[in-house]
Amino acid sequence: MSAIIDPAALDRPNSYIGKSVPRPNLPKLVEGRGQYVDDVVLPRMVHVAFVRCPHAHALIKRIDAKDALAVPGVLRVFTGQDLAVVCDPWVAVLVHLAGMKSAPQYPLPLVRATWHGEAVVAVVADTRALAEDGVSRVLVDYDPLPAVADMETALAPGTPLIHPELGDNLCFQRINESGDVAAAFKAAHKIVEATFHTGRHTGVTLEPRSILADYNKGSGKLVVHHSTQAPHMMQGVFAKQLRMAEGDVRVICVDVGGSFGIKVHVYPDEVATVAIAKLMGRPVKFIADRLESFGSDIHARDHRIHGKMAVDAEGRITAIDIDDLTGIGPYSVYPRTSAIEGNQVINLVGGPYDFANYRAKTTVVLQNKTPTCQYRAVGHPIAVTVTEGLVDLAAEALGMDPITFRLKNLMRDDSYPRTSPAGMKFEGLSHIKSLGRLMDMIDYPALRAEQDAARAKGIYRGIGFAAFIELTNPSPFMYGIGGARISAQDGCSVRIDPDGSVVAATGVTEQGQGTEGIIRQIVAEAVGVAVGAVRVITGDTQNTPYGGGTWACRGAGIGGEAALQAGLATRAAALEVASAMLQAHADTLDIVDGNIVDRATAIIRMPLSELTRIVYFRGDTLPPGLPRELMQTRHFITKEYPFAFTNGIQACWLEVDVETGLIKLLKHWVVEDCGRIINPLLVDEQVRGGVVQGIGGALYEHCAYSPEGQLLVGSMADYLVPMAAEMPDIEVGHIETPTRESLLGAKGAGEAGTAGAPAAIMNAINDALRPLDAQVLAQPFSPERILQALGKVPMRG
Amino acid sequence: MKAPDFIYCRAESLADALRLKAEHGDQARWLAGGQSLLAALAFRLSEPTALIDISRIDALRGITFDAGVVRIGAGTTHTALGVSDIIRRHVPLLAEAVPLIAHAAIRNRGTIGGSLAFADPAAELPACCVALEATLIAVGPKGERRIAANAFFEGVYATALRDDELLTWIEIVAAQADEQQTLVELTRRSGDYAMAGVAAVLRGDAAEITHARLVFFALGDRPVAAAKAAALLVGKPLDEAQVALAATASAQEIDPAGDLNGGPEMKTHLAQVVLSRALRQIMTQAKAKAERTAA
Amino acid sequence: MTTHSITVTVNGESVRRAVQARLHLIDFLRGDLGLMGSHVACEHGVCGACTVRVDGAIVRGCLVLAASLDGASVETIEGVSDRGEIRDLQDAFIARNAAQCGFCTPGMLMCAADLLGSNAQPTRAEIREHISGNYCRCTGYQAIVDAIETTALKRVSSDAGGAKP
Ligand SMILES: Cc1cc2nc3c(=O)[nH]c(=O)nc-3n(C[C@H](O)[C@H](O)[C@H](O)COP(=O)(O)OP(=O)(O)OC[C@H]3O[C@@H](n4cnc5c(N)ncnc54)[C@H](O)[C@@H]3O)c2cc1C
Ligand code: FES
Ligand code: FES
């Protein structure tokens, strides 16, 4: 374990860590000069579109492509059988999730289609429009089969089996238990109990999933331009499924138009595109359109959770008991699997609180709906909703203010390191300080007074809180130990070029969070040059060190530390050369603003560009044995803790129109502790974006299905995403508890907003409705659900 | 989401439009602002053989006021409608409706004619036209037809227009001195099609309402006039008790289908809410006007 | 398949192309002219990523046929950038980190420029309303609202400053 970086020691001309330095990517993006996958055009490029299954479950009896092939411009039609010739299926299980099972999945199904929206046939044509013309003329003869739509009955006897060879529709089940839950409930002063539903969501990245695969039959090399979060992982996947050497596959992603976990999975239609490129020997482009995105991008968060909490007479939580059920679609998604979300739920429930007895069960079932998998803040919003919902119910049952109750039960800031009842190891958190900071920001008594005054006028306002923990900087304990080739380490190479400028190549990737910005800041500071002198290379498996990419909030914590270490090593290497050139001890020299300086006096001894001129062009003048390695690579992986947990608390202030059920968000506050903040501007905007994504799920977003398993949302007019007019201003405050696992001390910040927002909103709505004896626990909190809770409209169906 | 292939032709005049339509037959569709049609084609919901672009026909654009009648060209964009002084002065209901339709970029191209001909049951302008008792003028190979707005809308996306007819002008009698117009709708997000809405036109004074038209949208397969509720208001002063009476009565006059926002019961509930709010708004407006005249 | 010959002024330059009837404006700009700054993200009029100007007014480029634009003038993010028309707004977006992935940004800037052109001092609510048809998944909108507000304030104060002797 290294010592925490001392910010004071780094407060020098090039101290960028902790400052709001603008991102280097933005000048091009604001002029529309980015390069997203659809902007790449290659010679002989063709387009693929897919025939998608209109049924939830159906036998594919016959495929007739005659009419499609007759469309001028349509070149080829591929079925599952055609692609299986060059492409192997995959099975998404992790061995550390004991007993987990799923079925082999092909790029296009061979016999049965298992969800509404599954790609069944691929049509390749000169343009996307012609490919769609072809799609509309392919005749598929389906034999509809009974579908498993309702997760509640997926395991019931008599329910059809989606994959008969698995024996049942159970993908995974786990019980996480510690202490004596039964005894605690027996001894409880009060018990509160509720059933929560979190709606099915999808990511709706503004840039749809995009891939352009280019297979060169001559060289045997495959280049894939891919809108992805994990280029190295995808390189491995494409190589393995297409039976190629990993070295023959290169994955490039320049700009990515949003990802949020949507673009870290293996999608059958994308693998199909690559397989087709290999078969046709020419570049093939697939840009998912919005219609097909709704049925083929992963969904998430479809959970039903029964929760129970026991409290003693002093108002202390004594036990939590959770029963979580989630439906994940017909296949677990490769390679992260679809069991992780449920697993996270039972690892995270109760996370901020000090209590001893815990039991949580997750049951992950297969069903005929779009597959679900990891989406921003995986499991967190669900766990936080359940925990914070129960916390408010308990406070109410005790007649206690929700803040008083939380203060009584939150883990003390001086109680770390410790392990939670769910088995999570915490290195250092700041719940109490965070709550204090929040209280400074919101003026709680004034809000309560305003609430009372409004109520007197028949206006229902509420304030809701949600404390949370967030899992960041994952170690191999997340996926690697389960056998998945998902890298928890990441690397960075830093080099000084002949002109004295610095290039950093990193395995973490940029999707808008500001990865390139923070890597640039860290490397500039570590080497001792201006930020403008650093260029960052990301998103190219051929030119960056092997790494896991960007997910689970690891960019800053893992990628940033690798960059810091590589930068410091490069600086040391340069100083070693400088010491020989200047006949001074390396310890007496330093690099500041691109100059070699005398450490004590700050007098400039020579510009870095002079050192590089000598190293690169006049190496003959240096001592023969002198190392001159102006490029250094470092890798980083966390070792002490499986995850670096962060924490925080949110508050939401809103008004419920009790006549219409519409909610007006008045204000939202977040205090979060992501350890060392590298760039406050970026962290705050990650938090705000995350909160709004959480608001989306809480109020609007819902992948609605018919009881037969038909997806009912087909457009952005049906699937409501949060838009500017309804969003509140969000105030963000910080506490900094750096991790001691790294010199940098950074943890992740990308998911905190999404983790806590839905719970804060739910609690605020229920706070507003309390005098009317109404309560909502099922997301999205739509006008209809509010009106039903108020008894103004009967329940549906 | 690429549209299926079709033929595009641009009509330079009304006569040209009718000629092109005759040439391309019943699978040809008029293209006005394209804000509904092109979106529908992207979903391949229909496959017309030809689109006849009527957006450049000068004669279909513009707003005039003559002899107490406001005449609006079918090709007038929502934006143009919203900024027109004539509309603001004589048909304030339309000026109030425009900002609620979609977003600026869509309003810049979408037209009143397109909105009426498209006949989305959740659209604002059809309900406004029914509430205003507008006359819709259609021109076809057989000449001109005048259709009363309440006879124009026949169902979801269905109108009294014949396939070969073009909606050309909308005529609306200017608001009278004692007339109040308002529109209230509920949406989950700004610019969305409404979950429930009502256009209301009332005449009268503090002592007595003499005329009332209350037309719901998003609450049936077309704009739905709450005639009984309106009749309850006539002959009496407008007050809270009357508002409650009308709201309750209106619930009996609609039979909304459910949608993704909610079931029929929710829609019926919201109908009463929007109606009450509209009538209260009119009470406030009337009071303000009375105070202005008194001052 | 019918094609139409159109002459359009794009970012001040006259271009003549034969286009398919069904081609929408954005596919024309991207595919025929290589102007990749305008994005499509829904192709059914809801997201605003395709916002460009036609004859001075903002439109949804995915809901306009290229074939219908003979004689029209089109401006895209590339054009307004090259002319420096919204340099201040772009700088404010950069300073405020009002773009994350940047996919919504060109459309958002075209929409914001439209607002500032007609309302020199919009309130925050007016800004939110005007961009309410432009979807951004990344930012949560506040930074965008801030950047537009800052630009408006700066423009007003520099106008006032410029008027002084
Ligand atoms: C995201 C989005 C949100 C929207 N929200 C709303 C909303 O909240 N409220 C609302 O009212 N509208 C809304 N609209 C629709 C918008 O108002 C459209 O502009 C309008 O419905 C159609 O007008 P248009 O001129 O674009 O017609 P087009 O799309 O060109 O045509 C629509 C239909 O009408 C026919 N047609 C057009 N003009 C004539 C004519 N003169 N004679 C005969 N037939 C004709 C066409 O053949 C076609 O069938 C929205 C649209 C979008 C894309
Ligand atoms: S792409 Fe045009 S509005 Fe979405
Ligand atoms: S910055 Fe990514 S969608 Fe707006």
Side-chain angles (χ1 to χ4, degrees):
Chain A
M1 202 190 308
S2 34
I4 294 180
I5 205 164
D6 174 6
L10 285 167
D11 200 13
R12 341 170 323 142
N14 305 118
S15 70
Y16 298 109
I17 296 171
K19 305 238 167 92
S20 291
V21 182
R23 292 165 51 204
N25 327 50
L26 291 192
K28 72 173 185 191
L29 295 181
V30 299
E31 297 201 9
R33 305 291 174 131
Q35 193 190 70
Y36 305 91
V37 170
D38 198 21
D39 301 340
V40 180
V41 176
L42 298 177
R44 295 188 69 231
M45 185 174 87
V46 291
H47 298 258
V48 62
F50 295 92
V51 177
R52 291 184 181 274
C53 182
H55 307 286
H57 195 186
L59 206 60
I60 303 162
K61 279 179 21 193
R62 205 170 62 89
I63 295 169
D64 178 356
K66 215 169 50 263
D67 290 353
L69 286 164
V71 175
V74 169
L75 303 168
R76 298 281 292 272
V77 173
F78 295 92
T79 65
Q81 307 285 353
D82 299 333
L83 298 187
V85 174
V86 292
C87 186
D88 292 326
W90 52 87
V91 181
V93 292
L94 290 167
V95 296
H96 68 300
L97 301 184
M100 182 183 179
K101 53 190 195 284
S102 184
Q105 189 174 17
Y106 287 83
L108 298 175
L110 305 183
V111 184
R112 279 179 310 129
T114 49
W115 81 87
H116 176 203
E118 181 175 12
V120 173
V121 182
V123 178
V124 180
D126 288 335
T127 66
R128 168 84 194 191
L130 290 168
E132 288 186 31
D133 291 349
V135 163
S136 70
R137 284 168 182 75
V138 173
L139 295 173
V140 184
D141 191 1
Y142 295 103
D143 199 353
L145 298 170
V148 185
D150 184 359
M151 62 186 181
E152 297 282 355
T153 56
L155 300 179
T159 300
L161 298 186
I162 296 179
H163 304 291
E165 68 275 22
L166 299 182
D168 57 25
N169 291 326
L170 181 67
C171 169
F172 175 64
Q173 191 163 49
R174 183 184 152 217
I175 298 178
N176 187 0
E177 193 164 12
S178 67
D180 189 343
V181 173
F185 273 96
K186 220 170 181 182
H189 169 63
K190 298 250 185 225
I191 294 172
V192 290
E193 185 163 7
T195 300
F196 302 87
H197 290 268
T198 54
R200 223 174 215 264
H201 303 160
T202 186
V204 200
T205 56
L206 192 57
E207 178 207 29
R209 290 189 293 110
S210 307
I211 190 165
L212 166 55
D214 182 12
Y215 180 72
N216 183 322
K217 281 192 166 163
S219 68
K221 301 255 192 284
L222 172 71
V223 178
V224 184
H225 301 263
H226 195 191
S227 185
T228 178
Q229 298 169 237
H232 283 109
M233 182 195 87
M234 290 311 305
Q235 174 191 24
V237 167
F238 294 138
K240 177 153 182 274
Q241 302 317 130
L242 293 164
R243 304 162 202 153
M244 295 176 69
E246 221 163 290
D248 286 338
V249 180
R250 177 180 179 190
V251 176
I252 300 172
C253 66
V254 181
D255 290 306
V256 174
S259 52
F260 318 109
I262 296 302
K263 295 175 180 169
V264 75
H265 310 296
V266 173
Y267 287 94
D269 48 17
E270 295 179 9
V271 178
T273 304
V274 180
I276 291 168
K278 187 152 183 234
L279 282 165
M280 291 183 72
R282 58 195 288 189
V284 182
K285 188 183 261 189
F286 168 58
I287 310 293
D289 69 25
R290 193 54 63 190
L291 183 58
E292 63 191 333
S293 296
F294 281 113
S296 63
D297 288 9
I298 58 113
H299 291 182
R301 308 217 221 292
D302 198 2
H303 289 241
R304 181 275 293 143
I305 319 97
H306 297 304
K308 254 182 8 176
M309 180 181 277
V311 288
D312 67 16
E314 269 97 77
R316 288 186 195 286
I317 302 170
T318 54
I320 298 180
D321 189 356
I322 298 295
D323 180 15
D324 170 56
L325 173 68
T326 179
I328 58 154
Y331 296 97
S332 165
V333 174
Y334 193 66
R336 288 177 150 67
T337 83
S338 308
I340 289 286
E341 190 181 68
N343 199 50
Q344 298 258 86
V345 170
I346 60 170
N347 282 342
L348 295 169
V349 163
Y353 298 99
D354 187 1
F355 67 103
N357 307 295
Y358 182 63
R359 179 171 55 208
K361 179 169 95 175
T362 186
T363 304
V364 180
V365 299
L366 302 174
Q367 56 179 178
N368 293 111
K369 292 184 181 176
T370 299
T372 71
C373 202
Q374 278 71 302
Y375 167 48
R376 193 177 197 169
V378 192
H380 290 71
I382 302 155
V384 179
T385 294
V386 175
T387 308
E388 294 301 296
L390 291 173
V391 160
D392 266 24
L393 289 175
E396 188 183 3
L398 291 160
M400 224 184 237
D401 182 90
I403 288 295
T404 316
F405 183 80
R406 283 181 173 81
L407 268 174
K408 208 180 247 307
N409 285 286
L410 285 167
M411 289 181 183
R412 308 283 103 192
D413 293 351
D414 59 4
S415 65
Y416 306 96
R418 65 185 290 172
T419 301
S420 77
M424 298 294 103
K425 284 168 74 184
F426 300 143
E427 182 199 359
L429 300 174
S430 61
H431 289 294
I432 304 293
K433 265 191 249 131
S434 296
L435 190 146
R437 178 91 184 77
L438 181 74
M439 289 297 110
D440 294 343
M441 287 159 68
I442 68 172
D443 195 351
Y444 190 40
L447 286 178
R448 286 290 179 207
E450 196 178 327
Q451 178 178 45
D452 288 343
R455 270 182 197 163
K457 289 187 268 172
I459 295 167
Y460 293 87
R461 293 194 173 159
I463 181 149
F465 300 98
F468 60 89
I469 54 171
E470 188 206 332
L471 174 161
T472 78
N473 293 1
S475 72
F477 279 89
M478 190 145 181
Y479 297 114
I481 56 160
R485 292 171 69 86
I486 295 172
S487 183
Q489 67 80 49
D490 229 290
C492 184
S493 291
V494 172
R495 70 168 195 257
I496 309 177
D497 273 353
D499 63 352
S501 71
V502 174
V503 178
T506 171
V508 290
T509 54
E510 167 77 80
Q511 287 98 39
Q513 315 88 322
T515 307
E516 291 186 28
I518 59 162
I519 297 290
R520 189 173 74 134
Q521 286 172 249
I522 292 166
V523 169
E525 175 157 345
V527 177
V529 297
V531 271
V534 180
R535 204 149 42 82
V536 179
I537 298 173
T538 64
D540 182 352
T541 55
Q542 191 162 290
N543 291 309
T544 60
Y546 198 92
T550 299
W551 46 275
C553 286
R554 61 189 297 281
I558 309 284
E561 178 68 9
L564 178 65
Q565 297 294 352
L568 291 173
T570 306
R571 173 209 205 87
L575 288 178
E576 189 174 0
V577 177
S579 98
M581 286 172 69
L582 299 170
Q583 297 297 309
H585 198 281
D587 287 349
T588 67
L589 299 172
D590 199 359
I591 307 177
V592 174
D593 246 345
N595 293 304
I596 310 291
V597 302
D598 188 87
R599 185 182 285 276
T601 62
I603 288 167
I604 295 177
R605 301 292 303 273
M606 74 175 159
L608 202 49
S609 58
E610 176 57 15
L611 182 146
T612 51
R613 185 184 70 82
I614 299 297
V615 167
Y616 289 118
F617 308 115
R618 292 303 308 275
D620 57 309
T621 64
L622 294 172
L626 181 77
R628 41 200 85 177
E629 301 297 335
L630 296 188
M631 174 157 172
Q632 296 288 328
T633 300
R634 291 294 180 274
H635 291 83
F636 180 69
I637 187 164
T638 53
K639 299 175 192 84
E640 305 267 322
Y641 286 87
F643 312 102
F645 276 92
T646 70
N647 69 279
I649 184 163
Q650 302 197 13
C652 170
W653 174 234
L654 53 72
E655 184 174 309
V656 183
D657 181 336
V658 296
E659 279 187 342
T660 63
L662 288 165
I663 285 160
K664 188 172 166 50
L665 301 168
L666 301 170
K667 184 94 199 198
H668 203 100
W669 299 265
V670 182
V671 175
E672 70 90 61
D673 180 350
C674 62
R676 169 87 58 241
I677 293 174
I678 300 165
N679 184 325
L681 183 62
L682 304 193
V683 168
D684 286 2
E685 295 322 312
Q686 279 297 300
V687 170
R688 291 197 173 98
V691 166
V692 166
Q693 212 157 359
I695 291 172
L699 296 185
Y700 305 108
E701 301 182 36
H702 190 205
C703 295
Y705 276 86
S706 76
E708 296 75 37
Q710 289 283 314
L711 180 59
L712 300 176
V713 295
S715 81
M716 289 187 68
D718 303 330
Y719 188 90
L720 306 183
V721 290
M723 302 298 277
E726 292 74 28
M727 291 305 110
D729 277 343
I730 300 157
E731 213 176 296
V732 185
H734 300 282
I735 302 291
E736 283 189 69
T737 310
T739 170
R740 289 168 184 272
E741 276 232 63
S742 68
L743 188 59
L744 189 61
K747 312 179 200 170
E751 302 178 330
T754 311
I761 290 171
M762 176 181 74
N763 285 346
I765 294 171
N766 291 334
D767 184 52
L769 298 183
R770 193 157 291 127
L772 302 171
D773 216 12
Q775 160 178 289
V776 285
L777 302 171
Q779 298 172 29
F781 307 115
S782 62
E784 184 177 44
R785 290 207 168 125
I786 305 260
L787 291 170
Q788 285 168 340
L790 287 163
K792 299 193 173 178
V793 166
M795 304 300 277
R796 260 214 272 189
Chain B
M1 295 182 62
K2 307 296 179 192
D5 195 26
F6 50 75
I7 294 165
Y8 168 86
C9 31
R10 183 200 283 184
E12 304 295 342
S13 66
L14 214 48
D16 199 23
L18 296 176
R19 181 186 59 74
L20 285 165
K21 177 71 184 161
E23 190 179 310
H24 290 286
D26 59 358
Q27 291 305 303
R29 306 263 305 263
W30 307 117
L31 173 68
Q35 302 304 287
S36 295
L37 181 55
L38 295 180
L41 292 183
F43 286 98
R44 297 196 179 222
L45 294 179
S46 64
E47 302 214 1
T49 51
L51 297 190
I52 301 166
D53 186 352
I54 55 171
S55 67
R56 305 269 186 123
I57 302 176
D58 287 335
L60 289 185
R61 273 196 302 258
I63 300 166
T64 59
F65 176 63
D66 188 31
V69 174
V70 175
R71 198 172 148 97
I72 305 165
T76 305
T77 62
H78 302 322
T79 301
L81 198 64
V83 299
S84 157
D85 281 336
I86 295 176
I87 296 296
R88 241 177 271 171
R89 198 162 326 138
H90 300 296
V91 206
L93 183 64
L94 294 181
E96 201 178 333
V98 164
L100 303 177
I101 301 171
H103 310 280
I106 294 167
R107 293 194 292 266
N108 282 341
R109 285 193 84 83
T111 65
I112 183 170
S115 179
L116 299 177
F118 192 60
D120 189 309
E124 289 84 357
L125 297 181
C128 291
C129 285
V130 174
L132 293 162
E133 295 172 285
T135 302
L136 279 51
I137 299 168
V139 171
K142 296 200 193 101
E144 194 176 284
R145 247 182 357 129
R146 297 173 67 84
I147 309 165
N150 67 355
F152 184 82
F153 300 99
E154 298 188 334
V156 180
Y157 309 135
T159 69
L161 278 179
R162 293 190 195 112
D163 168 61
D164 55 4
E165 277 180 329
L166 195 57
L167 180 60
T168 49
W169 294 284
I170 296 100
E171 286 185 359
I172 301 168
V173 176
Q176 299 179 11
D178 66 346
E179 186 164 322
Q180 303 291 334
Q181 308 180 348
T182 201
L183 179 136
V184 170
E185 70 172 36
L186 298 171
T187 60
R188 291 173 74 178
R189 304 175 310 171
S190 173
D192 282 356
Y193 276 108
M195 295 192 288
V198 69
V201 175
L202 269 72
R203 284 179 216 135
D205 55 24
E208 186 188 9
I209 297 298
T210 57
H211 167 100
R213 292 276 295 166
L214 306 169
V215 180
F216 286 123
F217 52 101
L219 290 164
D221 67 351
R222 66 192 89 176
V224 182
K228 292 202 186 95
L232 284 174
L233 298 176
V234 174
K236 307 219 174 70
L238 187 58
D239 57 21
E240 271 301 326
Q242 283 293 94
V243 170
L245 218 57
T248 312
S250 74
Q252 309 303 317
E253 301 187 70
I254 51 173
D255 184 16
D259 59 24
L260 284 173
N261 285 316
E265 292 89 354
M266 180 193 79
K267 292 232 161 195
T268 305
H269 169 79
L270 294 181
Q272 300 174 66
V273 174
V274 290
L275 188 70
S276 309
R277 289 185 178 182
L279 292 177
R280 285 197 200 106
Q281 209 153 293
I282 283 183
M283 280 159 58
T284 318
Q285 279 175 17
K287 215 166 117 202
K289 198 162 151 193
E291 279 162 13
R292 269 202 310 276
T293 1
Chain C
M1 216 176 297
T2 55
T3 55
H4 298 265
S5 173
I6 55 167
T7 304
V8 193
T9 305
V10 179
N11 296 328
E13 288 168 13
S14 177
V15 298
R16 195 182 159 78
R17 290 286 187 288
V19 296
Q20 253 199 60
R22 62 167 147 176
L23 193 74
H24 61 63
L25 173 55
I26 303 302
D27 277 353
F28 170 66
L29 292 169
R30 295 174 56 86
D32 290 70
L33 305 182
L35 291 166
M36 299 297 191
S38 305
H39 300 148
V40 288
C42 76
E43 288 190 294
H44 55 276
V46 189
C47 76
C50 61
T51 308
V52 295
R53 271 185 213 151
V54 171
D55 294 331
I58 54 166
V59 302
R60 303 286 212 216
C62 70
L63 296 184
V64 177
L65 295 178
S68 73
L69 292 178
D70 189 33
S73 156
V74 176
E75 279 171 294
T76 70
I77 187 68
E78 289 92 345
V80 296
S81 299
D82 291 351
R83 283 196 292 113
E85 183 196 320
I86 55 165
R87 188 66 260 166
D88 54 349
L89 190 59
Q90 287 164 322
D91 288 341
F93 266 58
I94 294 170
R96 186 60 190 82
N97 197 33
Q100 288 188 23
C101 79
F103 207 75
C104 70
T105 310
M108 199 64 90
L109 286 163
M110 296 304 282
C111 185
D114 179 62
L115 172 68
L116 295 179
S118 62
N119 182 351
Q121 266 179 297
T123 62
R124 286 180 78 78
E126 284 169 340
I127 295 170
R128 285 187 179 275
E129 173 57 31
H130 199 79
I131 62 168
S132 69
N134 288 61
Y135 172 51
C136 173
R137 187 53 132 179
C138 302
T139 62
Y141 303 105
Q142 188 171 337
I144 295 172
V145 176
D146 290 348
I148 298 170
E149 188 182 36
T150 311
T151 307
L153 290 172
K154 276 200 183 142
R155 282 189 190 177
V156 167
S157 67
S158 73
D159 284 357
K164 280 184 208 137

